[in-house]
């Protein structure tokens, strides 16, 4: 059985699973995950950065290399450049591994790395490949429902203000609230009055326009993020294939990106309804989220 050693192996596993339906990888070492175990608070685990720090050697970032060598040129062959870069990448991983192994052992982190984090890599890659079944029609209809509520709130806000204005404009909203309606406000700056949530929450009971503005913002964000943002991400297989990250949070919690499905609101009724767009595989299955 082949043992895999690399940097950010999840990306490679995901590609192999997607193209060849492969599984059962024997993960020997991952230098990105090892560095995360050693230093979970850092923000950058790129191999080029670690190469500079540990080996004092320069390695072109993989994305930069692909960007500069990915252009098809009928008059030249870039295969040699890819082979050279691949060799340097592998040598860097092996040299980095030899250093990290010693540090992992000296800090008694072998159990965390080898029994928790490394086996999780394939699990997360398979989660990305599996994706979440998503009801496109439900999201579309939900978006229409949200738009109706947003338009209704906008009409109420304009009526209370006595004029139409751009509710999304901080300057226009500040002018209405703090000059025309003469509500309490903070210090005015060169950019106008602050209308952030903290400011508006403090004067929520001073005028009915404030709760309406807060609700308008909540619904507008819900629509832009979870309707307009999610529908284009539904793949041809009817699923959203979000990415899961092991090296983002210092606490060890897995994070979800592109899109972030962990932040769908649950305290609001509309947020709870929105979660119905994600469909279990069968009637016997359930989808649930758990935090630690």
């Amino acid at each position: 059985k082949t043992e895999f050693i690399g940097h950010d192996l999840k990306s490679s596993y995901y590609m192999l699973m997607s193209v060849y339906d492969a599984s059962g990888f024997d993960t020997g070492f991952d230098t990105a995950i090892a560095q995360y175990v050693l230093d979970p608070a850092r923000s950058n685990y790129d191999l080029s950065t670690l190469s500079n720090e540990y080996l004092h050697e320069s390695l072109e970032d993989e994305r930069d290399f692909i960007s500069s060598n990915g252009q098809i040129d009928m008059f030249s062959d870039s295969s040699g450049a890819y082979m050279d870069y691949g060799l340097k990448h592998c040598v860097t991983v092996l040299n980095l591994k030899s250093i990290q192994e010693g540090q992992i052992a000296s800090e008694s982190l072998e159990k965390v790395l080898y029994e928790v984090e490394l086996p999780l890599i394939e699990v997360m890659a398979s989660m990305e490949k599996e994706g979440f079944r998503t009801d496109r029609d439900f999201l579309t209809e939900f978006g229409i429902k949200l738009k109706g509520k947003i338009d209704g709130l906008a009409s109420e806000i304009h009526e209370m203000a006595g004029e139409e204005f751009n509710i999304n404009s901080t300057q226009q909203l500040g002018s209405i609230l703090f000059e025309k309606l003469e509500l309490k406000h903070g210090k005015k700056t060169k950019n106008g009055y602050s209308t952030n949530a903290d400011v508006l929450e403090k004067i929520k009971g001073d005028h009915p326009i404030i709760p309406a503005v807060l609700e308008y913002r909540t619904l507008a964000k819900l629509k832009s993020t979870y309707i307009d943002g999610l529908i284009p991400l539904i793949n041809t297989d009817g699923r959203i294939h979000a990415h899961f990250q092991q090296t983002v949070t210092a606490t060890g919690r897995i994070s979800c990106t592109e899109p972030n499905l962990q932040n769908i609101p649950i305290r609001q009724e509309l947020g709870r309804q929105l979660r119905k767009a994600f469909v279990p595989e069968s009637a016997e299955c359930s989808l649930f989220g758990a935090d630690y």
Side-chain angles (χ1 to χ4, degrees):
K1 191 174 182 179
T2 303
E3 182 181 72
F4 289 87
I5 296 169
H7 186 87
D8 186 24
L9 285 171
K10 178 176 68 68
S11 299
S12 300
Y13 289 176
Y14 175 73
M15 179 191 68
L16 291 170
M17 287 176 174
S18 300
V19 177
Y20 300 107
D21 199 27
S23 62
F25 300 102
D26 183 7
T27 306
F29 203 87
D30 188 310
T31 48
I33 301 302
Q35 190 59 38
Y36 172 70
V37 171
L38 289 166
D39 185 8
R42 71 182 292 150
S43 59
N44 189 329
Y45 296 92
D46 290 343
L47 185 60
S48 57
T49 302
L50 298 182
S51 178
N52 277 323
E53 290 182 16
Y54 280 88
L55 308 173
H56 308 295
E57 295 178 357
S58 176
L59 176 69
E60 186 177 6
D61 183 82
E62 185 175 353
R63 286 161 296 203
D64 294 338
F65 172 80
I66 293 174
S67 176
S68 58
N69 290 274
Q71 190 72 29
I72 297 175
D73 186 349
M74 67 178 68
F75 301 109
S76 62
D77 183 4
S78 61
S79 59
Y82 275 91
M83 291 176 65
D84 290 342
Y85 182 81
L87 176 61
K88 190 171 184 180
H89 180 102
C90 292
V91 170
T92 300
V93 166
L94 291 175
N95 290 338
L96 186 58
K97 172 180 176 287
S98 65
I99 297 173
Q100 290 175 326
E101 282 177 321
Q103 294 182 337
I104 291 287
S106 67
E107 297 188 29
S108 301
L109 291 169
E110 296 100 328
K111 186 178 181 68
V112 176
L113 177 64
Y114 295 107
E115 296 185 28
V116 178
E117 296 292 350
L118 292 184
L120 187 60
I121 296 173
E122 183 176 351
V123 174
M124 291 176 58
S126 65
M127 288 165 60
E128 292 187 4
K129 177 181 179 291
E130 187 70 18
F132 293 90
R133 286 181 61 200
T134 309
D135 190 332
R136 182 189 296 270
D137 292 338
F138 178 90
L139 283 179
T140 301
E141 291 172 10
F142 196 82
I144 294 171
K145 179 179 177 181
L146 276 180
K147 187 177 185 307
K149 289 181 176 292
I150 291 167
D151 290 346
L153 279 168
S155 297
E156 290 179 23
I157 292 167
H158 291 154
E159 186 175 345
M160 285 186 274
E163 63 178 272
E164 290 193 6
F165 66 99
N166 183 358
I167 304 169
N168 299 313
S169 166
T170 299
Q171 290 185 334
Q172 291 185 37
L173 178 61
S175 176
I176 292 292
L177 299 181
F178 305 125
E179 292 179 0
K180 184 172 183 178
L181 299 179
E182 299 181 337
L183 300 177
K184 288 182 293 186
H185 59 81
K187 185 178 179 181
K188 185 178 181 181
T189 68
K190 63 179 181 180
N191 295 321
Y193 302 96
S194 173
T195 62
N196 63 33
D198 290 338
V199 171
L200 297 189
E201 284 290 344
K202 291 176 183 177
I203 58 172
K204 194 173 181 179
D206 293 356
H207 195 287
I209 197 174
I210 302 299
V213 169
L214 289 170
E215 186 179 1
Y216 172 92
R217 285 180 173 178
T218 298
L219 298 186
K221 183 177 180 181
L222 204 61
K223 183 177 183 299
S224 64
T225 305
Y226 298 111
I227 303 297
D228 303 337
L230 289 182
I231 289 177
L233 297 179
I234 301 175
N235 204 348
T236 52
D237 61 3
R239 299 168 185 264
I240 289 179
H241 296 270
H243 294 290
F244 296 96
Q245 312 293 341
Q246 277 177 267
T247 62
V248 172
T249 66
T251 60
R253 176 178 60 82
I254 293 171
S255 66
C256 180
T257 60
E258 301 175 76
N260 183 355
L261 298 177
Q262 294 171 316
N263 276 0
I264 298 177
I266 194 170
R267 294 178 183 175
Q268 304 155 338
E269 177 58 29
L270 284 172
R272 289 193 289 271
Q273 290 180 29
L274 180 58
R275 291 175 177 234
K276 296 177 182 177
F278 300 98
V279 187
E281 289 298 316
S282 68
E284 292 77 29
C285 297
S286 297
L287 280 174
F288 71 94
D291 209 339
Y292 63 113

